[in-house]
């Protein structure tokens, strides 16, 4: 009988109580200090406080001075971790509209994975430093759930934190997190509208309206609207139609107490893309030894669509947020955020898997789906579309966060302390499906997406529900010893409970998992000058079973089995940052090493699974962001990453001891030059090394790697007057043909976006 060997360790309750006491004591200390200071001020002065004017000389169109999150209270140059901030001006110049497009500005971050076998990934499936970071996306520091392609119309900036974020955000990806900063009301009257029209059916319009309702009471309203109906460059039939509305109300913007009310609604009605067969790509050979001529066949047209024109991906997302902020003093602020979010996805895709022989056994058995009636006549070759890809899923989150941040002195030490408490309830409900009948085959080289499905039908045959409740306590402190030396430390404990219920024919399950996760980070910072820093960081993160998709499993070969311990990550990073040219240009460099432990591995001798697997990712990352002169702005980043599996089976199809879907090198850049007469020229180049796909013993003949590629984009802007300006964008200027993503088995890939031209009119009132 096969057994499961568990090495899960429970944290004693004393640790929780000590951390709770530490958080409470540390947070009360600045509050009492501030109260004493306030009483002294009242007794010694009856004068009104002077107006505080804030200047940010380091702010440029691309460069931010600091993070918008209150969890990072230092300037970027003094923040001891790789933190990339992608500002609104940059994505507007590039004509970017989605999170995936914005993330091109961070090297090594992208959607490289198409999906598992016949299933296609949907939404923002983001890989970062070799691991899936899709479950570590946050909106204003609150986790964002659901398979949705996030639009940028209501975002001010995107913040990409690389390395473990366990002490910052709790459970998540071993290699980082992404925080989306939303637009908020401001004390000004302004309206901006834009309209875009371009090739491949691109049509998009947005409105950003801000209005002061009461100057004296600091009340302002902001409304963002978006409507888009566009094709996908290089892909026939695939389309993205979405609209959004985001009203927000602020009360007390000019007072110590501020209330912000936010609502976001997004509706998407897209035609999904299942990719195209990899036949003819470099590295492809026949998947059937009896038919070697398949390996000599040419590529299919990258614009082909193999699904049904009636396939759909419908998503509705709603997000309600209430934030209350109160300044006890200029150096002490309390913030409370309450969020309810819900995302509904209804998805159907006619999928294929272009295998050449019968593969698998039992319920996983698949007969050959690539048929060749005549070896010479390729017009007769057919492809089966019989894989069921159907999803009906709802994600919900209810979260309340209380955060206190303050600064004060104890003797010669300066403290910048922040900490808080989070209560979060997350839930996912999904239906399961079964299919009957069969779809007609597609012609391999000339597929017709407008076909009748005949007797093929999909029916619901079960449901499942997973939910996670989490109580979190965290504390972060930056201690400045003098002008040169400082220490940054963070502690966080998450007490969690996950439950999973599944009810499908002949298989019912009711599983649960609970425990505590303690994460920490420690960094030492040395400042050679007032405008530079050198730092050394060590940090941890953890991800318990089922935390990525709210699904637990009783299978002993699944890391989601509740008998297993959380995946654990340790990262060491050594870096430096320099704010040059009067703080207009930020240069960064970092070397890191990440070790992921508790990976599940099978011991064939003992016929058991052990959590002794270990993976290592290490590399360097370089960056530059800011202004070279008053008229020239630039941002660029380069990363080189080496990964290996120290203990465990090989994860890649080509037998290399590396991680899949992790380009070894990548480079990104963008620059703009503001000329006279209102003309701006912009452009950039992106490079990605080839991808190594995941291992699949059943995949025969498919490419194990994809080629590296360069892509160049360009922009020309012209200011007509203060109210109107025009912008012409050309993406993939030289129409580079490349592989954007590949699936695990290698039978399908997603072509990179073809050349596209768009013209945008921006209107300011």
């Amino acid at each position: 009988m096969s057994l499961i060997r568990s090495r899960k360790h429970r944290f004693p309750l004393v640790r929780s109580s000590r951390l709770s006491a530490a958080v409470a004591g540390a947070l009360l200390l600045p509050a009492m200090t501030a109260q004493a200071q306030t009483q002294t001020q009242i007794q010694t002065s009856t004068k009104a406080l002077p107006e505080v004017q804030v200047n940010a000389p380091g702010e440029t169109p691309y460069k931010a001075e600091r993070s918008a999150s209150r969890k990072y209270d230092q300037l970027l140059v003094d923040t001891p971790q790789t933190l990339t901030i992608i500002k609104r001006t940059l994505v507007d110049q590039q004509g970017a509209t989605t999170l995936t497009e914005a993330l091109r500005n961070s090297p090594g971050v992208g959607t490289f994975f198409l999906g598992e076998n016949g299933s296609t990934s949907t939404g923002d499936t983001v890989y970062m430093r070799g691991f899936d970071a899709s479950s570590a996306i946050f909106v204003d520091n609150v986790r964002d759930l659901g398979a949705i392609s996030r639009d940028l119309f209501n975002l001010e900036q995107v913040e990409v934190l690389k390395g473990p974020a366990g002490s910052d955000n709790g459970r998540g990806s071993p290699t980082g997190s992404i925080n989306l900063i939303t637009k908020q009301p401001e004390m000004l009257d302004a309206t901006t509208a834009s309209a875009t029209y371009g090739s491949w059916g691109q049509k998009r319009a947005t409105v950003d309206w801000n209005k002061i309702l009461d100057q004296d009471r600091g009340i302002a309203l902001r409304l963002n609207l978006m409507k888009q109906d566009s094709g996908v460059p290089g892909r026939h039939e695939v389309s993205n139609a979405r609209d959004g509305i985001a009203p927000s109300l602020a009360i007390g913007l000019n007072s110590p107490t501020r209330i912000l009310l936010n609502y976001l609604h997004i509706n998407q009605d897209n035609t999904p893309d299942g990719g195209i067969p990899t036949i003819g790509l470099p590295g492809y050979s026949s998947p059937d030894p009896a038919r070697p001529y398949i390996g000599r066949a040419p590529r299919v047209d990258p614009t082909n669509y193999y699904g049904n024109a009636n396939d759909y991906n419908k998503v509705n997302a709603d997000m309600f947020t209430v934030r209350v902020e109160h300044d006890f003093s200029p150096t002490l602020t309390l913030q409370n955020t309450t969020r309810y979010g819900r995302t509904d996805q209804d998805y159907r895709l006619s999928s294929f898997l272009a295998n050449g022989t019968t593969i698998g056994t039992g319920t996983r058995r698949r007969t050959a789906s690539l048929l060749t009636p005549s070896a010479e006549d390729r017009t007769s070759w057919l492809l089966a579309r019989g894989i069921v890809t159907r999803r009906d899923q709802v994600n919900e989150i209810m979260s309340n966060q209380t955060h206190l941040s303050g600064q004060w002195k104890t003797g010669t030490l300066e403290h910048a302390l922040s900490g808080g408490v989070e209560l979060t309830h997350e839930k996912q409900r999904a239906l399961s499906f079964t299919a009957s009948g069969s779809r007609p085959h597609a012609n391999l080289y000339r597929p017709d997406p407008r076909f009748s499905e005949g007797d093929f039908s999909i029916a619901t045959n079960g449901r499942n529900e997973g939910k996670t409740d989490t109580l979190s306590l965290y504390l972060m402190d930056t201690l400045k010893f003098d002008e040169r030396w400082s220490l940054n430390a963070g502690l966080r404990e998450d007490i969690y409970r996950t439950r999973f219920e599944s009810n499908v024919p002949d298989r019912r399950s009711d599983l649960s998992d609970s425990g505590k996760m303690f994460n920490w980070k420690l960094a030492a910072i040395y400042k050679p000058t007032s405008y530079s820093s050198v730092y050394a960081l060590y940090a941890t993160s953890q991800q318990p079973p089922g935390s990525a998709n709210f699904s637990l499993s009783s299978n002993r070969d699944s890391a989601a089995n509740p008998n297993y311990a959380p995946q654990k990550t340790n990262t060491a990073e050594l870096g430096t940052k320099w704010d040059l040219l009067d703080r207009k240009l930020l240069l960064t460099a970092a070397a890191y090493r990440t070790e992921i432990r508790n990976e599940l591995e099978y011991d064939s001798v003992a016929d058991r699974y052990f959590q002794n697997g270990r993976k290592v990712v290490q590399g360097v990352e370089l960056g530059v962001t800011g202004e070279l002169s008053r008229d020239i702005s630039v941002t660029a980043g380069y990363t080189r990453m080496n990964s290996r599996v120290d203990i465990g089976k090989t994860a890649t199809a080509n037998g290399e001891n590396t991680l899949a879907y992790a380009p070894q090198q990548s480079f990104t850049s963008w620059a703009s030059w503001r000329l006279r007469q209102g003309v701006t020229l912009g452009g950039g180049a992106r490079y990605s090394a080839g991808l190594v796909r995941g291992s699949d013993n059943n995949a025969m003949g498919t490419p194990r790697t994809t080629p590296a590629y360069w892509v160049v984009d360009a922009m020309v802007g012209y200011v007509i007057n203060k109210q109107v300006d025009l912008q012409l964008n050309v993406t993939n200027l030289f129409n580079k043909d490349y592989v954007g993503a590949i699936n695990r088995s290698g039978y399908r890939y997603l072509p990179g976006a073809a050349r596209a031209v768009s013209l945008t009119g921006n209107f300011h009132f």
Side-chain angles (χ1 to χ4, degrees):
M1 179 179 179
S2 300
L3 299 175
I4 297 174
R5 176 68 57 88
S6 174
R7 297 182 181 177
K8 176 175 288 190
H9 300 285
R10 300 294 184 183
F11 290 100
L13 292 177
V14 65
R15 175 176 289 178
S16 177
S17 60
R18 287 176 180 173
L19 180 58
S20 303
V23 172
L27 296 184
L28 285 174
L29 179 59
M32 292 185 292
T33 303
Q35 183 178 6
Q37 293 173 344
T38 303
Q39 292 295 333
T40 302
Q41 292 169 355
I42 294 175
Q43 295 169 3
T44 59
S45 176
T46 58
K47 297 180 180 180
L49 290 175
E51 180 181 354
V52 178
Q53 184 174 358
V54 179
N55 294 315
E59 290 282 347
T60 74
Y62 301 163
K63 176 182 175 290
E65 275 287 87
R66 61 176 70 241
S67 166
S69 170
R70 291 187 177 273
K71 291 184 179 180
Y72 310 107
D73 47 24
Q74 302 299 306
L75 298 175
L76 277 187
V77 70
D78 297 326
T79 300
Q81 196 164 349
T82 300
L83 177 59
T84 302
I85 296 181
I86 304 167
K87 294 182 65 175
R88 182 84 225 177
T89 304
L90 177 59
V91 297
D92 282 345
Q93 283 191 359
Q94 296 173 342
T97 61
T98 66
L99 175 60
T100 298
E101 293 170 343
L103 291 175
R104 293 172 181 168
N105 294 287
S106 184
V109 182
T111 54
F112 310 119
F113 180 52
L114 181 56
E116 185 86 7
N117 296 322
S119 300
T120 298
S121 300
T122 59
D124 296 316
T125 308
V126 179
Y127 270 66
M128 184 188 306
R129 289 184 177 177
F131 285 86
D132 188 355
S134 305
S135 62
I137 298 176
F138 298 78
V139 175
D140 297 326
N141 289 318
V142 181
R143 195 180 302 272
D144 192 36
L145 305 177
I148 183 173
S149 178
R150 294 164 179 85
D151 196 282
L152 302 177
F153 83 102
N154 191 46
L155 296 184
E156 201 64 61
Q157 62 190 37
V158 177
E159 303 189 355
V160 183
L161 181 70
K162 295 183 179 179
S167 60
D168 305 84
N169 301 315
R171 76 175 197 273
S173 168
T175 51
S177 63
I178 300 167
N179 191 26
L180 313 182
I181 307 302
T182 60
K183 296 178 180 179
Q184 298 296 333
E186 301 174 353
M187 292 302 293
L188 55 85
D189 290 335
T191 302
T192 300
S194 69
T196 301
Y197 183 81
S199 58
W200 298 95
Q202 297 181 68
K203 298 181 290 294
R204 178 180 172 92
T206 63
V207 175
D208 185 351
W209 175 67
N210 196 98
K211 177 67 176 177
I212 300 174
L213 301 182
D214 191 320
Q215 182 74 45
D216 295 335
R217 298 171 61 190
I219 302 177
L221 177 68
R222 190 167 186 173
L223 177 65
N224 276 271
L225 303 172
M226 177 272 299
K227 178 73 174 179
Q228 177 168 328
D229 187 2
S230 300
V232 174
R235 303 291 295 131
H236 289 161
E237 302 297 333
V238 183
S239 63
N240 293 316
R242 56 183 180 265
D243 53 75
I245 178 172
S248 53
L249 177 68
I251 303 172
L253 288 179
N254 52 7
S255 72
T257 302
R258 299 168 296 280
I259 302 174
L260 296 101
L261 308 174
N262 293 267
Y263 171 63
L264 171 68
H265 173 77
I266 294 285
N267 173 264
Q268 298 182 356
D269 189 358
N270 306 325
T271 302
D273 196 346
I276 63 176
T278 53
I279 291 173
L281 285 182
Y284 182 88
S285 60
S286 175
D288 184 359
R291 294 181 290 170
Y293 53 84
I294 298 178
R296 298 188 294 270
R299 292 177 57 187
V300 303
D301 188 334
T303 66
N304 283 354
Y305 184 70
Y306 292 86
N308 191 308
N310 294 321
D311 288 339
Y312 57 85
N313 182 19
K314 299 180 180 180
V315 179
N316 279 282
D318 294 279
M319 185 183 297
F320 304 85
T321 307
V322 178
R323 183 189 306 163
V324 180
E325 299 177 344
H326 178 71
D327 298 330
F328 292 101
S329 73
T331 59
L332 184 65
T333 299
L334 179 67
Q335 181 185 85
N336 180 269
T337 302
T338 301
R339 163 82 53 78
Y340 172 75
R342 175 180 171 127
T343 302
D344 295 72
Q345 183 186 32
D346 188 6
Y347 171 83
R348 193 197 81 155
L349 175 65
S350 304
S351 300
F352 67 89
L353 196 66
N355 60 297
T357 61
T358 299
I359 60 175
T361 59
T363 57
R364 297 185 179 182
R365 178 182 176 88
R366 298 191 187 279
T367 58
S369 62
L370 182 58
L371 307 180
T372 57
S374 170
E376 293 77 19
D377 183 10
R378 295 193 181 104
T379 62
S380 67
W381 291 12
L382 302 174
L383 182 65
R385 297 179 275 205
I387 296 179
V388 179
T389 307
R390 178 78 169 87
R391 182 182 301 160
D392 191 334
Q393 179 176 297
V394 178
N395 286 88
E396 292 181 278
I397 183 170
M398 184 72 185
S399 180
N400 181 268
Q401 301 180 355
T402 300
H403 180 87
L404 184 65
S405 57
Q407 300 177 9
W408 81 98
K409 289 185 177 181
T410 55
T412 59
L413 293 179
E414 294 184 15
H415 293 266
L417 182 78
S418 64
V421 180
E422 297 180 9
L423 295 168
T424 304
H425 173 74
E426 301 162 87
K427 181 188 296 184
Q428 177 175 287
R429 299 188 302 272
L431 301 178
S432 59
F433 300 90
T434 185
S436 61
S438 61
R439 296 187 182 103
H441 287 59
N443 185 284
L444 179 63
Y445 286 97
R446 299 186 64 183
D448 180 9
R450 289 165 178 79
F451 62 90
S452 172
E453 295 200 323
D455 62 347
F456 183 83
S457 63
I458 300 176
T460 304
N461 71 336
R463 60 158 187 87
N464 61 71
E465 179 177 287
K467 50 190 174 184
T468 297
D469 296 305
T470 309
L471 167 64
S472 305
L473 304 169
Y474 64 91
L475 182 67
M476 292 175 282
D477 191 12
T478 297
L479 296 88
K480 293 186 177 180
F481 300 98
D482 53 35
E483 294 182 355
R484 300 293 186 188
W485 291 96
S486 60
L487 192 68
N488 178 270
L491 305 171
R492 183 182 179 110
E493 183 159 85
D494 294 278
I495 305 170
Y496 67 91
R497 177 179 175 84
T498 298
R499 293 202 58 182
F500 177 72
E501 299 178 8
S502 178
N503 184 2
V504 297
D506 302 322
R507 190 170 70 252
R508 294 174 59 96
S509 61
D510 189 349
L511 304 171
S512 65
D513 181 39
S514 61
K516 300 183 180 73
M517 293 187 305
F518 180 77
N519 289 299
W520 60 276
K521 69 177 177 181
L522 184 65
I525 304 103
Y526 172 69
K527 293 183 66 62
T529 66
S530 61
Y531 51 82
S532 64
S533 68
V534 178
Y535 65 88
L537 165 74
Y538 193 86
T540 70
S541 68
Q542 299 184 60
Q543 186 156 279
S547 67
N549 57 10
F550 304 97
S551 296
L552 296 174
S553 172
S554 59
N555 295 335
R556 65 192 186 109
D557 62 346
S558 172
N561 192 307
N563 288 320
Y564 295 131
Q567 177 195 70
K568 295 185 177 181
T569 303
N570 301 318
T571 289
E573 181 172 314
L574 181 65
T576 183
K577 300 182 180 183
W578 293 76
D579 240 344
L580 304 178
L581 302 182
D582 193 25
R583 292 172 54 194
K584 299 293 186 181
L585 187 73
L586 179 65
L587 304 181
T588 63
Y592 63 89
R593 185 182 189 276
T594 298
E595 182 180 274
I596 299 94
R597 296 179 288 113
N598 281 358
E599 292 285 278
L600 196 61
E601 297 297 337
Y602 177 66
D603 187 328
S604 59
V605 176
D607 191 25
R608 295 178 181 176
Y609 283 88
F610 295 90
Q611 286 191 279
N612 58 0
R614 185 171 68 241
K615 299 174 180 177
V616 175
V617 180
Q618 56 189 15
V620 296
E621 184 162 334
L622 309 175
V624 54
T625 303
E627 287 184 341
L628 297 177
S629 69
R630 183 176 180 180
D631 296 319
I632 300 177
S633 298
V634 63
T635 178
Y638 168 78
T639 182
R640 181 181 180 89
M641 179 181 68
N642 293 311
S643 62
R644 68 176 187 268
V645 180
D646 270 1
I647 300 176
K649 63 181 180 180
T650 302
T652 60
N654 65 350
E656 292 183 7
N657 194 28
T658 61
L659 299 183
Y661 318 110
Q664 189 178 56
Q665 295 186 80
S666 63
F667 171 79
T668 182
S669 65
W670 183 266
S672 62
W673 184 18
R674 293 175 289 278
L675 306 175
R676 296 181 179 180
Q677 290 83 41
V679 177
T680 299
L681 302 179
R686 294 178 278 120
Y687 170 79
S688 178
L691 303 176
V692 180
R693 70 167 178 82
S695 61
D696 187 340
N697 295 331
N698 291 322
M700 299 176 59
T702 58
R704 297 173 178 178
T705 62
T706 66
Y709 61 87
W710 281 93
V711 174
V712 176
D713 305 319
M715 179 274 293
V716 178
Y718 177 64
V719 178
I720 298 176
N721 52 46
K722 292 182 179 181
Q723 285 74 42
V724 182
D725 62 83
L726 300 177
Q727 181 174 306
L728 180 70
N729 284 86
V730 183
T731 55
N732 196 355
L733 180 64
F734 301 111
N735 204 26
K736 175 66 176 178
D737 182 13
Y738 65 98
V739 175
I742 192 168
N743 80 315
R744 181 172 180 264
S745 59
Y747 290 116
R748 300 179 297 120
Y749 80 98
L750 197 64
R755 178 169 55 215
V757 181
S758 64
L759 179 64
T760 300
N762 298 306
F763 310 93
H764 314 276
F765 308 100

